[in-house]
Amino acid sequence: MIADNIKNVTQRIARSCEKSGRSLSDVKLICVTKEARINEIEEALCFGIKDIGENRVQDALIKYRTIENKATWHLIGHLQTNKVKDALKIFSLIHSVDTVRLAEEIQKCAKKINKVQDILVQVNTSGEESKFGIRPDEAGAFFKEVSLYPNISILGLMTIAPEVDDPERARPWFQKLRELRNELNEVRCAKYDVRMLSMGMSNDFEVAIEEGSSMVRIGRAIFKND
Ligand SMILES: *Cc1c(COP(=O)(O)O)cnc(C)c1O
């Protein structure tokens, strides 16, 4: 079942790349394992999954005892400052940095263990109050500040589109993230080079790829049982 689902998702990713003239190697599939059991995660790894996404640090630490470095770990959920120290132990990429205060804590903890932590900045493109993320108009100031932190490397932006029935309706939020990325890169003398766009989930990843996504975060389409 999981094998079939992975095959299906992979084919749909390939088709979207083809449709939008993008290279398959530019889009990474992150398998979201937050609702999966250990044996299901192991099965997914057997069928070619290399990157897994979790949204709680505590849950991830427990799974890490079994999975260890057989996968690359992505933190996709909200991160509290008191969990930063633990998060830095296992996550290669933190997708959800959304305050300077949190970035400061990451800088402090990363320095202690001599790590340069890769991060993405979460942007609340839709402005929904229920969502985390900086406002698009705060991005310039955020980058100016955080790009000076020596133990943090900002690789790009992340967003979560509102839940909609028709994935087409998520397109404007993905476009907005891409445009924001392009604007940030146009700033003269900027010390950063923002490339990655983490956007697209089970319901809307094809549209996200058409709009330039470099990482899709997919859970239900892989672990659902039908
Ligand atoms: C759960 C989650 C996903 C995966 O969502 P699915 O609809 O299961 O594909 C992606 N991103 C974030 C931030 C999530 O919390």
Side-chain angles (χ1 to χ4, degrees), residues 124-181:
N124 186 355
T125 45
S126 66
E128 284 183 305
E129 276 182 26
S130 59
K131 290 205 160 54
F132 290 107
I134 63 168
R135 291 198 318 266
D137 66 354
E138 295 172 324
F142 188 97
F143 271 75
K144 208 169 154 201
E145 171 82 22
V146 177
S147 60
L148 300 174
Y149 295 5
N151 295 77
I152 289 184
S153 174
I154 315 178
L155 302 187
L157 306 174
M158 180 272 231
T159 200
I160 303 173
E163 265 186 59
V164 287
D165 297 333
D166 177 4
E168 270 308 318
R169 292 187 53 213
R171 191 182 292 275
W173 314 118
F174 299 144
Q175 284 171 337
K176 198 161 177 178
L177 197 71
R178 171 165 47 81
E179 283 160 11
L180 180 61
R181 189 238 353 235

Side-chain angles (χ1 to χ4, degrees), residues 30-35 53-55 75-78 95-96 122 158-160 163 198 200-205 216-223:
I30 298 172
C31 176
V32 175
T33 50
K34 65 184 178 205
E35 278 162 14
E54 282 281 328
N55 61 355
L75 181 62
I76 60 174
H78 183 64
H95 293 227
S96 50
Q122 183 171 353
M158 180 272 231
T159 200
I160 303 173
E163 265 186 59
S198 168
M201 307 176 17
S202 291
N203 279 338
D204 55 22
F205 69 89
V216 289
R217 312 178 304 266
I218 298 182
R220 279 175 294 168
I222 291 174
F223 294 110

Side-chain angles (χ1 to χ4, degrees), residues 45-56:
L45 297 179
C46 279
F47 292 108
I49 293 294
K50 297 196 166 52
D51 293 82
I52 61 179
E54 282 281 328
N55 61 355
R56 288 167 174 274

Side-chain angles (χ1 to χ4, degrees), residues 108-124:
K108 201 177 87 193
C109 295
K111 185 166 185 236
K112 273 189 198 147
I113 58 170
N114 219 357
K115 179 180 187 184
V116 175
Q117 178 65 50
D118 289 339
I119 67 158
L120 303 177
V121 178
Q122 183 171 353
V123 182
N124 186 355

